[in-house]
Amino acid sequence: MYDIVLRNGRLIDPETRLDVIGDVAINGSAIVQVGKVDGTGRREIDATGLVIAPGFIDIHAHGQSLAADRMQAFDGVTTTLEFEIGSLPVGLWYEQQTQTTRLLNYGISVSWVAARIAVMTEQDINHPPLTLMGRSIGDRRWVDDVATDAQVGAITAMMEQGLREGGIGIGIPNAYLPGAGVKEVSQICSLAARYDVPTYTHISFSSNIDPRSSVEAYTRLIGYAGSTGARMHICHFNSTSLMDIERCAELVRNAQAQGLRITVEAYPYGTASTVIGAPFFADPAFPQRTGQGYDALQRLDNGQHMTSREDVLRASAEKADNLVLWHFLDVESNQRHRDLLDMSVLYPGGIIASDAMPWTMPDGSTYMGDAWPLPDEAVAHPRSSGTFTRFLRVYMNERKAVSLMDAMAKCSWLPATIIECAAPTMRRKGRLQVGCDADICVFDADTISDQAEFTAMNRPAVGVKYLLVNGQPVIEAGELVTSANAGQPVRGRYRA
């Protein structure tokens, strides 16, 4: 007898291209049979008319809390990973997570930001990644200064220790550290190459004009990949390319054709989100570089739009880790902008990743409670609620731009392949196969949809009927299992 049997669903495995009506049997945390299951289960779930697919893997999720997990569960996510910024010390981060309730599987990369802050300013780095960046901005040496040779040595030593504590690659948010030199970044990339782990890179510049354009930044990143041999994963291909997505995509395609190990991700929105203290917002040339006024920046805590650079500087001085929305593409009314977004979202072999933000309260604090539904006043970018379901609704159902099989690859299997070199346990995720982890999303392909909007950000997505994490139901019949605590750590292979 099996623990759980899912019956009569449409089985989708994007690695083997399996697409049949059948059953899935689960014992403990593993899939033990796929296809026709003759035995019975202690629990039988009728999945007639539903898709049974691997749970979605989000490799760019900043929330990392119970509230964030719950919202992402309705988005079909079973593994949520903070890779762009990362954390240090890595061992302490994992220890802290085990002391909390985590609905979804979780993991972290090694933080270049944290290492720079620790070495160049000696500030405390034991804070969540986005909070750390905001709290540390008062001493800008880690942002603006070129590191000495001795400092670079100390930074890379800290990061190597992070890999040995289980960090899953290295986060390189280059745009947030504009003072860092190419020599330093090349050393970090060489460290990643030596350990054969990916880097997760926010490119160095987001600008439509030279010098320091997005095109220059992509050319630089491609150079790092070629000269060091590092695996370079590009975060949010859409927002960092701005109006130059077409040219940037061409450059990446050419680099990949030459065998460079470069991968990309995107989310299906024309609006970004980050901290108000990000140095590129304070650049006096921000309007010229982006082709936008300061009103493209909108505070998350009160909904107000910036009106000038002085507004930005004042808001940053008040609380640099306050979150803002950056409306960089008008995809609602501008066809050219929609086309540009499509180039990033539908990039061949590219993956979907949310860049999900923490849930924020009116006072700017991160919501860390366990209320369900979330408090009405808790806000975040809608991508924190509905990235994957929005992709499925818009690109699979409404526009028929991607098949169900290829959509599932972008959401589950391809993300796993990017990181399994660093975390071999990921070879058991993103697949609907015997021996793989029972991280499974059962959904209605016709009705799956995001619900969150910029005027109502914390509406859960709909269409996910059952979500299993390590064989444990966390959504049942479309309802959250509020007592669930199913998430397990995903760690890098070098953990001592």
Side-chain angles (χ1 to χ4, degrees):
M1 178 172 285
Y2 303 105
D3 290 337
I4 298 176
V5 178
L6 306 172
R7 294 284 186 191
N8 303 314
R10 183 179 176 183
L11 310 182
I12 298 291
D13 178 57
E15 182 176 47
T16 64
R17 310 296 284 186
L18 175 74
D19 185 353
V20 299
I21 302 299
D23 314 321
V24 176
I26 298 164
N27 275 338
S29 62
I31 297 171
V32 294
Q33 197 164 347
V34 176
K36 176 64 176 173
V37 175
D38 293 324
T40 60
R42 295 181 179 85
R43 172 86 187 278
E44 301 244 348
I45 296 174
D46 182 10
T48 302
L50 303 175
V51 172
I52 302 176
F56 306 154
I57 298 168
D58 190 355
I59 74 172
H60 189 164
H62 297 298
Q64 300 300 312
S65 68
L66 176 60
D69 284 358
R70 285 173 165 177
M71 293 302 284
Q72 286 208 289
F74 283 93
D75 204 24
V77 174
T78 52
T79 301
T80 177
L81 307 161
E82 159 59 279
F83 284 169
E84 181 196 30
I85 299 177
S87 187
L88 280 176
V90 166
L92 177 61
W93 186 88
Y94 278 110
E95 181 182 343
Q96 290 170 338
Q97 300 307 306
T98 63
Q99 296 169 8
T100 66
T101 300
R102 292 301 305 264
L103 198 66
L104 310 180
N105 301 314
Y106 54 88
I108 199 78
S109 70
V110 179
S111 176
W112 176 41
V113 166
R116 252 190 160 242
I117 291 170
V119 170
M120 300 180 74
T121 73
E122 300 180 348
Q123 296 182 74
D124 178 20
I125 59 173
N126 185 22
H127 300 286
L130 289 176
T131 300
L132 172 63
M133 291 171 62
R135 289 175 63 106
S136 304
I137 202 71
D139 185 339
R140 292 182 59 90
R141 287 177 293 172
W142 66 275
V143 175
D144 297 327
D145 289 2
V146 175
T148 66
D149 290 346
Q151 288 172 330
V152 171
I155 289 166
T156 53
M158 285 189 70
M159 296 173 70
E160 184 168 11
Q161 179 61 30
L163 291 174
R164 292 190 173 278
E165 292 179 7
I168 308 172
I170 298 173
I172 307 182
N174 208 164
Y176 294 90
L177 296 87
V182 171
K183 290 177 66 175
E184 178 182 349
V185 178
S186 72
Q187 289 283 4
I188 294 166
C189 292
S190 290
L191 173 65
R194 190 161 70 250
Y195 278 79
D196 193 26
V197 298
T199 67
Y200 313 97
T201 306
H202 185 307
I203 61 168
S204 49
F205 315 121
S206 295
S207 168
N208 298 322
I209 60 174
D210 282 329
R212 297 187 293 121
S213 67
S214 296
V215 172
E216 179 182 338
Y218 277 97
T219 302
R220 179 184 289 189
L221 181 143
I222 291 166
Y224 288 139
S227 61
T228 69
R231 300 173 182 266
M232 307 291 291
H233 178 72
I234 298 169
C235 297
H236 36 50
F237 196 26
N238 48 330
S239 61
T240 52
S241 304
L242 298 178
M243 299 301 292
D244 285 322
I245 291 175
E246 188 168 15
R247 176 58 175 160
C248 294
E250 181 183 359
L251 295 173
V252 172
R253 272 195 305 273
N254 289 340
Q256 290 172 329
Q258 295 174 60
L260 297 183
R261 299 186 294 181
I262 299 173
T263 52
V264 303
E265 68 177 55
Y267 51 81
Y269 295 88
T271 296
S273 185
T274 187
V275 292
I276 188 62
F280 39 84
F281 293 149
D283 184 345
F286 173 80
Q288 292 76 28
R289 292 197 163 279
T290 63
Q292 299 168 328
Y294 288 100
D295 60 349
L297 304 178
Q298 182 182 9
R299 288 179 60 154
L300 201 62
D301 56 355
N302 59 22
Q304 292 180 352
H305 289 260
M306 301 289 101
T307 60
S308 64
R309 181 170 180 262
E310 288 67 33
D311 265 2
V312 171
L313 297 177
R314 185 164 44 250
S316 179
E318 290 172 0
K319 196 172 190 299
D321 60 338
N322 263 352
L323 298 178
V324 292
L325 301 172
W326 179 7
H327 304 285
F328 66 95
L329 290 177
D330 180 8
V331 296
E332 300 302 321
S333 59
N334 188 310
Q335 182 60 50
R336 175 58 178 166
H337 287 197
R338 285 195 291 271
D339 292 343
L340 290 172
L341 182 61
D342 289 354
M343 292 175 195
S344 60
V345 172
L346 297 175
Y347 185 88
I351 69 169
I352 302 302
S354 72
D355 197 3
M357 306 303 284
W359 289 93
T360 302
M361 301 301 282
D363 63 359
S365 64
T366 298
Y367 178 69
M368 298 300 292
D370 61 0
W372 185 257
L374 294 188
D376 290 340
E377 61 271 26
V379 294
H381 191 298
R383 68 193 185 198
S384 303
S385 306
T387 291
F388 294 87
T389 47
R390 181 181 180 87
F391 168 66
L392 297 177
R393 173 178 66 82
V394 174
Y395 288 92
M396 184 181 76
N397 286 343
E398 296 177 0
R399 296 176 47 193
K400 315 296 183 187
V402 64
S403 68
L404 173 62
M405 182 68 72
D406 290 341
M408 293 300 95
K410 281 180 168 288
C411 293
S412 59
W413 172 55
L414 288 173
T417 65
I418 289 171
I419 57 178
E420 58 193 25
C421 61
T425 57
M426 293 303 297
R427 294 179 185 137
R428 301 196 305 267
K429 298 187 186 297
R431 295 143 168 109
L432 195 73
Q433 300 172 24
V434 172
C436 289
D437 294 342
D439 295 339
I440 298 173
C441 183
V442 182
F443 64 93
D444 186 329
D446 295 327
T447 64
I448 194 164
S449 176
D450 57 315
Q451 297 290 289
E453 302 172 352
F454 287 103
T455 55
M457 301 179 186
N458 61 10
R459 291 177 182 165
V462 297
V464 174
K465 303 303 182 183
Y466 294 89
L467 193 77
L468 277 64
V469 177
N470 298 304
Q472 300 181 45
V474 300
I475 292 179
E476 291 199 65
E479 297 293 330
L480 180 72
V481 180
T482 56
S483 60
N485 184 19
Q488 293 296 314
V490 178
R491 290 187 170 95
R493 71 178 186 276
Y494 291 104
R495 182 190 178 203

